Structure formats: structure tokens, C-alpha cells
């Protein structure tokens, strides 16, 4: 119950499915948590759901540099340090073949999913290096290992964050800062509802069944199952783990 005692964590996408489940785990393990997401009202609801004085919120768009700087500054102002950054905000974008994929949507997916992670690294790394340690966990996806038909921008973005993670590991060396990616299979959150709807409007249950056949475990994961791996990588239990890609996927990447 104290694996994050005394630690300060920022979670982006903090009012979404995986972010909120991770916040619940982090708070239960003693962390002070700053939830970052786009919408103030949803953040307030998420914090109320967690019902802990250890939780505060900040509305910010991770793709904007000033706002990324602001969430790092908020952790420092409120708690004096930053030990864990969970770069988890993400969007699925359009569900369309490359030949029909809207260019503006391609750019937006890369702005949120890639530039957002880059900016988190850019502003959190100096703080963590000064402190002599920290853990950055980035939410990639099985789409960070595999292609995704009709999800090209999303798959490209989730591959790209592996390159960012590996580059950051080489740049931070023996500073004590660790950086890893996690790679969930389909997880039961809003995002999969949107993907099912995009793949088969009006036949979402059938789309879910088809997607599930590609997961050896025979089901979607839960947000909490991802949160438990994020917790491991955030905590000192993983003190020798850096530069790694961690599947949370019921065997999906084995195929
Ligand atoms: N659900 C899945 O099946 C699945 C699988 C693999 C990876 N992922 C990844 O997990 C992460 C979390 O997704 P989720 O499943 O919880 O979905 P979600 O939609 O419930 O949560 C994503 C959150 O990110 C926030 N967000 C979007 N753009 C933002 C921006 N510019 N700035 C700040 N916040 C922003 C959203 O408001 C939302 O609350 C994403 O990076 C997603 O790509 C999800």
C-alpha cells in the first residue's frame, strides 16, 4: 500500500479510462497525483470520484508547449517535486483507409500522441535529472508494434513514441531517470467504443467480437489491468527497468 509513498505523479489523459484507473492505483499506494486532461468539468468529476485530498487537477492540452510546461510547473508548485510522469493522453483519430484519411486528422493525432509525449519528456526530464531520478511511463499500444488497418495515424503515432522513449533513455544515461512504454491490447474504455463504432456503425457488438478473436486471452483488458503495469513501472519495484516495451495485451502481440 505504500509503493509510491512520498512520490508526486502527473497523469495526462487523467480523466479518461486508463488514466483514472491508474490514478486510483497511484493514490492507493501513497502518491500525490495531478490529473491533466482537456476538460475542466470532467477533471472535477474524476477527482470527486477518487475522493482523495491527494488528487488535484489541471486542464491542459498536452500538444501545446506552454500547457505542457504548465503541468510540470503545477506539480512543482503544489508538491515541490515530480517523480512520475504518465504520458497517457491520446486520441484514436479517424477510422479510415489511408487513401481517405483526412490530413488534418493525421496531423492532430500526431500532435496529441507524439508531440504531446515529446513535450512531456522535454519539460519533465530536466526536473527529474536535477532530482537524480524519476520514472516516465508512456502509453503506446499493440498498434506500436503492429500495423492497424484504417488506423494508420494512430499506429504511426504509437510506433513513434517507442523511438522517443528509446532516444530519451540514451540521452539521460545514468541520471536515475527511467523511461518505458506500455502496450495495451484493446481495453474497455471510451476509445474502443469509438473504434468499434468507426469500424461497423450500428454493429458495434459484432465489431467487438471480431477484434476479440485477435486476442489470445479471448477478451478485452480492463483499465485497471493496464494501471497495474503502470504502477509497477512508476514504482521502485522496477528500479532496473528502463528502455523497455511492456505488453499488457492478453497475448495479442504474440501473433
Ligand atoms: N482503450 C484501448 O483499447 C487502448 C489500447 C492501447 C492504448 N491505448 C492508449 O491508452 C491511452 C488512454 O486511452 P483510454 O483508453 O483511457 O481512452 P480515453 O479516451 O478514455 O482517455 C484518453 C484521455 O486523453 C484525453 N486527451 C485527449 N487529447 C488530449 C490532449 N490534447 N490533452 C490532454 N488530454 C487529452 C481525453 O480527454 C481522454 O480523457 C491513450 O494514449 C490510448 O491511445 C488505449
Amino acid at each position: 500500500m505504500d509503493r509510491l509513498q512520498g512520490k508526486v505523479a502527473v497523469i495526462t489523459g487523467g480523466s479518461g479510462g486508463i488514466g483514472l484507473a491508474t490514478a486510483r492505483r497511484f493514490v492507493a499506494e501513497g502518491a500525490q497525483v495531478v490529473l491533466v486532461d482537456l476538460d475542466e468539468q470532467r477533471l472535477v468529476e474524476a477527482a470527486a470520484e477518487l475522493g482523495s485530498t491527494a488528487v488535484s487537477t489541471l486542464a491542459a492540452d498536452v500538444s501545446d508547449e506552454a500547457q505542457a510546461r504548465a503541468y510540470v510547473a503545477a506539480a512543482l508548485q503544489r508538491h515541490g517535486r515530480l517523480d512520475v510522469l504518465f504520458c497517457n493522453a491520446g486520441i484514436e483519430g479517424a477510422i479510415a483507409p489511408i487513401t481517405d484519411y483526412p490530413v488534418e486528422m493525421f496531423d492532430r493525432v500526431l500532435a496529441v500522441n507524439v508531440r504531446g509525449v515529446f513535450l512531456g519528456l522535454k519539460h519533465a526530464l530536466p526536473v527529474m535529472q536535477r532530482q537524480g531520478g524519476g520514472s516516465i511511463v508512456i502509453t503506446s499500444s499493440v498498434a506500436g508494434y503492429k500495423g492497424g488497418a484504417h488506423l494508420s495515424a494512430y499506429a504511426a503515432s504509437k510506433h513513434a513514441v517507442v523511438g522517443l522513449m528509446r532516444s530519451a533513455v540514451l540521452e539521460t544515461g545514468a541520471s536515475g531517470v527511467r523511461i518505458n512504454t506500455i502496450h495495451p491490447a484493446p481495453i474497455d474504455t471510451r476509445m474502443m467504443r469509438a473504434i468499434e463504432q468507426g469500424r461497423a456503425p450500428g454493429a458495434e457488438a459484432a465489431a467487438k467480437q471480431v477484434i476479440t478473436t485477435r486476442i489470445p486471452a479471448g477478451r478485452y483488458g480492463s483499465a485497471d489491468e493496464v494501471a497495474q503495469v503502470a504502477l509497477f513501472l512508476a514504482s521502485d519495484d522496477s528500479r532496473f527497468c528502463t528502455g523497455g516495451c511492456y505488453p499488457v495485451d492478453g497475448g495479442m502481440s504474440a501473433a
Side-chain angles (χ1 to χ4, degrees), residues 13 15-19 37-38 42 60-63 88-91 108 112 139-141 154 158 184-187 189-192:
S15 57
I18 291 171
D37 210 304
L38 288 173
R42 282 189 52 214
D61 180 340
V62 297
S63 69
N88 169 71
I91 55 173
R108 185 64 193 151
V112 176
T139 312
S140 177
S141 166
Y154 184 75
K158 294 300 184 180
I187 302 297
T189 68
R190 180 215 64 82
M191 187 171 284
M192 283 314 300

Side-chain angles (χ1 to χ4, degrees), residues 56-70:
S56 66
T57 64
L58 184 77
D61 180 340
V62 297
S63 69
D64 179 274
E65 180 158 25
Q67 298 182 52
R69 196 185 286 115

Side-chain angles (χ1 to χ4, degrees), residues 6 11 16 37 43 48 61 63-64 107 144 146 191 196 203 210 218 245:
I11 299 177
D37 210 304
L43 280 166
D61 180 340
S63 69
D64 179 274
D107 288 345
K146 294 152 118 25
M191 187 171 284
E196 289 153 7
V210 171
C245 300

Side-chain angles (χ1 to χ4, degrees), residues 95 191-205 207 211:
I95 317 295
M191 187 171 284
M192 283 314 300
R193 301 290 88 78
I195 290 173
E196 289 153 7
Q197 214 257 334
R199 288 209 181 287
E204 292 82 2
I211 296 168

Side-chain angles (χ1 to χ4, degrees), residues 1-243:
M1 295 297 281
D2 59 358
R3 290 157 80 193
L4 297 180
Q5 200 61 50
K7 293 195 192 282
V8 175
V10 168
I11 299 177
T12 73
S15 57
I18 291 171
L20 184 55
T22 304
R24 191 171 291 114
R25 285 271 167 197
F26 281 13
V27 168
E29 296 289 342
Q32 303 285 322
V33 175
V34 180
L35 294 180
V36 174
D37 210 304
L38 288 173
D39 184 72
E40 181 77 57
Q41 185 51 37
R42 282 189 52 214
L43 280 166
V44 168
E45 287 162 16
E49 203 178 313
L50 293 169
S52 166
T53 53
V55 177
S56 66
T57 64
L58 184 77
D61 180 340
V62 297
S63 69
D64 179 274
E65 180 158 25
Q67 298 182 52
R69 196 185 286 115
Y71 71 63
V72 172
L76 294 179
Q77 274 157 17
R78 293 173 192 179
H79 306 292
R81 51 188 299 113
L82 175 60
D83 301 287
V84 177
L85 173 61
F86 187 26
C87 287
N88 169 71
I91 55 173
E92 68 280 4
I95 317 295
I98 292 172
T99 46
D100 294 336
Y101 203 97
V103 173
E104 319 73 57
M105 182 59 87
F106 183 89
D107 288 345
R108 185 64 193 151
V109 171
L110 266 71
V112 176
N113 296 7
V114 184
R115 188 166 72 214
V117 172
F118 165 76
L119 292 171
L121 290 165
K122 180 174 176 185
H123 293 285
L125 284 175
V127 173
M128 292 182 174
Q129 285 178 295
R130 269 200 307 278
Q131 284 173 183
S135 173
I136 300 179
V137 182
I138 299 165
T139 312
S140 177
S141 166
V142 286
Y145 303 126
K146 294 152 118 25
H150 297 189
L151 280 168
S152 55
Y154 184 75
S157 74
K158 294 300 184 180
H159 278 68
V161 294
V162 174
L164 280 174
M165 176 275 286
R166 290 184 173 140
S167 303
V169 167
L170 299 182
E171 290 180 17
T172 49
S175 64
V177 182
R178 302 183 294 103
I179 309 128
N180 294 284
T181 52
I182 56 177
H183 296 258
I187 302 297
D188 256 318
T189 68
R190 180 215 64 82
M191 187 171 284
M192 283 314 300
R193 301 290 88 78
I195 290 173
E196 289 153 7
Q197 214 257 334
R199 288 209 181 287
E204 292 82 2
K208 179 171 183 176
Q209 240 173 4
V210 171
I211 296 168
T212 302
T213 61
R214 301 190 200 118
I215 307 171
R219 63 172 177 86
Y220 283 13
S222 71
D224 186 60
E225 287 168 328
V226 180
Q228 300 215 42
V229 178
L231 169 61
F232 167 70
L233 290 169
S235 77
D236 294 340
D237 291 349
S238 59
R239 65 181 70 80
F240 200 52
C241 300
T242 189

